[in-house]
Amino acid sequence: MFHQIDFGKRVKEFRKRGNLSQKEAAMKIGVSEQALSKWENGDCLPDVYHLKLLARVFKISVDCLLDTENESGEKAVETIKVGGAVFELVEKPETILAGKMIYAKDFSDISGFYAAIDAVAAQEEQDIYKLVKDPVLPINDIHLSVNFWRDESSRAYGFVREVLTKEQPEGIDIYKIPASLYIRAYTDSSMAQLLTKEICEIWELFAYLRDYFMPSHNFKMAENGAQEMEVFDTSEHRSGYAYMPVMPC
């Protein structure tokens, strides 16, 4: 289903990926900065003419901008509201992730594992993403947490993107997760208010999902190998979705 607010987020993300200010992007397509701001905020939609110009300026297809090319096949099956915060139960098919994986088993103790994760600088992470081949559209940076609710020695962490193929350049790691149900939550103001914060980051949502939301709605952690994901919708990683793999109790 097409969502006007999600469309606005995509416009904003592709503009930032092109290193364009609102003023610069608006000038290129011949509209006011206020008009572009309304599109990005989800207040209204551009007409067909300006939709084509947006796609041309961002060097993407109109289908990509509208998200009709999304290859993930992800499907929302239920929406649950807690106060003003929205939680979605989604079905996600088998997913191939590509990027850099760090495994706890490769370190003598768990502190070395965490230190290795912290040592990956933002620029190194972006350099990894640039090497990834055939990413699923729209492109999102993903932080993957593997087995963080289980034994420390089985844990892993990844800086990855969802891709269409396992055939990747040398030095790029592959991680496949099975089809699963997920609870998906977004870091908007309503979610922050639920957590009694002014703003919240994606990682802060996992504790709420596990400790409060899942028990009260009869869910438990999935046992099929699916893993937690932070899916960022901005290149600065300031906002995005928490994906928690679940199954009914």
Side-chain angles (χ1 to χ4, degrees), residues 71-89:
E71 300 285 351
S72 69
E74 187 176 298
K75 179 183 178 182
V77 295
E78 185 178 358
T79 298
I80 302 170
K81 292 187 177 181
V82 180
V86 175
F87 299 84
E88 295 174 291
L89 181 64

Side-chain angles (χ1 to χ4, degrees), residues 162-173:
E162 188 173 344
V163 295
L164 299 173
T165 176
K166 294 186 292 184
E167 302 301 320
Q168 295 292 326
E170 184 177 354
I172 294 297
D173 302 319

Side-chain angles (χ1 to χ4, degrees), residues 204-224:
E204 296 178 288
L205 301 182
F206 291 116
Y208 179 86
L209 286 169
R210 188 182 296 114
D211 297 339
Y212 299 100
F213 182 87
M214 288 167 57
S216 63
H217 291 85
N218 298 315
F219 290 107
K220 62 181 180 179
M221 295 298 295
E223 299 174 358
N224 59 358

